[in-house]
Amino acid sequence: MILHEFLSFEFLRVVWWVLLGVLLIGFALTDGFDMGVGALLPFVGKTDVERRVVINTIGPVWEGNQVWFILGGGAIFAAWPPLYAVSFSGFYLAMFAVLAALILRPVGFKYRSKRDSQRWRNNWDWALFVGGAAPALLFGVAVGNVLLGVPFHLTEDLMPMYDGTFYGKFLGLLRPFAILSGVVSLSMLLMHGAAWLTLKTEGMVQIRARNIGTVAGIVAAATYALAGVWLAFGVDGFAMVGEVVTDGPSNPLYNEVSRGGSWLAAYGERPWIAIAPLMGFAGIAMAVRGLREGHEVSTLLWSKLAITGIIASVGLTMFPFVLPSTVDPTSSLSVWDATSSHLTLFVMLVAAVIFMPLIMLYTAWVYKVLWGKVTEEEVTGSSDSVY
């Protein structure tokens, strides 16, 4: 018997759904504070030296944090081909905007200190702000659109067809609920960035970060709660109809899907998933408390818990759907019918089991080496500081 047959197709599908969530959460936990710090840069740093301190808190680690983003994209491409095809065809203008914003970050890091002109540096500081704030907002908008459903359908030969207009591929994504989701994401990552700055800086930069992070945390809690109420009463959910085949062919047209009711019906069917939003609210509350009381390590850990809970609540609420269709609900992509083959998922799992622990160990080692605060004296007096 071939080894991969010991692990059922159904089991591997769920495993890769979980792993995709882990990769997305890992990206938000690591590169999330990079984006938050970038968005906070013009507001927590009032002088050139203060802004250099802020930049040097993330300068040595942001590239390593991008690994989670690359792994997430690779996992979608290899494990969820229909999801990759539909999302990249329907969201490509929005994704281009995210990519353009992300490109500003390394360019800003490298070019900001090339000239002594204050105007030159201020312009690059605002570029770094865009490079942090825009992706944080747009990633949330994308999640909101996934919950609302996307206008696509699959042809008989499973070719994805996006039914929105050219301009609708960007402007059509800016629906009220999606914008609210973007605000949740942005405020959440601003809080996370503030928690990171509280840990890595001191003096006025730290004080400003705490003040802004406290407000951001309150906004995150309020908008997250509002999004939950809106999701319960103002957004139609999706549900599988009839007998669901969990180990059948990877054909989204194989299972019948209906639209209607509430996404939050999932909490009646699986009450244990309520742990996710509770983690989100508890994490925000404790992070805000930590920011106000001046705690450092624990504040960052609570912020991480909040992000984990908020992102997990989306996936657990939608399960088993990963991308529902508003045009043809039967074309909706789910865990049970939008994956690669049984063998492909197994081979990928073996690679993940080998390499993900190595990545996590290396990342932990890097953060251990770079542990400690970034001070103004270090930034102005050390040749190792290039930002």
Side-chain angles (χ1 to χ4, degrees):
M1 181 179 291
I2 301 176
L3 181 60
H4 79 274
E5 293 182 355
F6 285 104
L7 300 177
S8 69
F9 201 6
E10 176 185 0
F11 174 77
L12 289 174
R13 282 170 161 167
V14 174
V15 166
W16 272 103
W17 174 78
V18 172
L19 286 177
L20 179 59
V22 169
L23 293 173
L24 294 177
I25 291 172
F27 172 62
L29 295 183
T30 54
D31 206 41
F33 67 70
D34 294 338
M35 290 184 282
V37 168
L40 290 170
L41 175 62
F43 309 105
V44 297
K46 299 301 183 180
T47 67
D48 181 66
V49 173
E50 287 179 346
R51 291 183 178 183
R52 288 181 63 196
V53 168
V54 173
I55 293 172
N56 274 275
T57 64
I58 59 174
V61 298
W62 74 269
E63 289 180 290
N65 293 338
Q66 290 284 88
V67 168
W68 295 97
F69 186 51
I70 296 169
L71 288 175
I76 294 174
F77 173 78
W80 307 86
L83 175 61
Y84 184 88
V86 174
S87 59
F88 274 74
S89 62
F91 295 166
Y92 75 88
L93 288 177
M95 290 183 175
F96 182 83
V98 169
L99 180 61
L102 290 176
I103 289 173
L104 284 175
R105 182 164 55 187
V107 176
F109 286 157
K110 297 301 181 184
Y111 279 86
R112 182 190 184 276
S113 297
K114 296 300 183 183
R115 295 176 60 183
D116 290 331
S117 167
Q118 190 61 46
R119 181 178 179 182
W120 169 270
R121 294 189 175 191
N122 285 340
N123 288 338
W124 282 115
D125 289 340
W126 283 105
L128 289 171
F129 163 79
V130 173
L137 177 67
L138 291 175
F139 283 133
V141 170
V143 171
N145 276 280
V146 170
L147 286 164
L148 290 170
V150 180
F152 74 94
H153 71 276
L154 301 176
T155 63
E156 292 183 356
D157 55 359
L158 300 184
M159 180 179 294
M161 303 294 291
Y162 186 83
D163 295 312
T165 64
F166 177 80
Y167 292 104
K169 291 184 178 182
F170 185 78
L171 297 179
L173 302 178
L174 302 179
R175 294 179 279 182
F177 178 80
I179 294 175
L180 177 63
S181 299
V183 174
V184 174
S185 174
L186 177 59
S187 56
M188 175 181 73
L189 295 185
L190 285 175
M191 180 188 71
H192 197 43
W196 175 256
L197 288 175
T198 297
L199 176 67
K200 296 292 290 183
T201 65
E202 56 188 17
M204 290 306 300
V205 171
Q206 186 188 66
I207 292 172
R208 295 186 194 111
R210 285 176 179 167
N211 292 336
I212 298 174
T214 298
V215 175
I218 294 172
V219 172
T223 52
Y224 182 48
L226 178 58
V229 174
W230 195 332
L231 198 63
F233 300 104
V235 177
D236 288 335
F238 291 77
M240 294 284 190
V241 177
E243 183 179 357
V244 180
V245 180
T246 59
D247 57 355
S250 292
N251 181 350
L253 302 179
Y254 196 75
N255 290 308
E256 187 177 352
V257 177
S258 67
R259 185 184 185 189
S262 171
W263 277 121
L264 299 193
Y267 291 85
E269 299 169 359
R270 305 186 299 274
W272 61 270
I273 67 176
I275 187 66
L278 291 176
M279 287 169 54
F281 284 116
I284 292 174
M286 295 303 293
V288 168
R289 179 184 177 185
L291 287 168
R292 295 184 64 181
E293 297 183 355
H295 303 309
E296 297 183 356
V297 176
S298 62
T299 300
L300 184 64
L301 294 178
W302 284 118
S303 179
K304 289 177 180 290
L305 180 69
I307 292 173
T308 300
I310 291 172
I311 296 177
S313 69
V314 176
L316 291 171
T317 298
M318 292 185 60
F319 184 87
F321 294 97
V322 292
L323 189 65
S325 168
T326 56
V327 175
D328 177 21
T330 301
S331 295
S332 299
L333 308 181
S334 77
V335 172
W336 311 128
D337 50 35
T339 64
S340 293
S341 69
H342 188 179
L343 179 60
T344 299
L345 295 183
F346 174 77
V347 172
M348 290 177 61
L349 180 60
V350 172
V353 168
I354 294 173
F355 291 106
M356 280 192 67
L358 295 177
I359 293 172
M360 296 176 71
L361 287 172
Y362 173 75
T363 301
W365 176 77
V366 168
Y367 280 96
K368 180 180 179 180
V369 170
L370 297 174
W371 187 259
K373 292 185 179 292
V374 179
T375 64
E376 293 186 8
E377 293 77 13
E378 180 182 0
V379 167
T380 56
S382 173
S383 59
D384 293 333
S385 175
V386 296
Y387 300 108

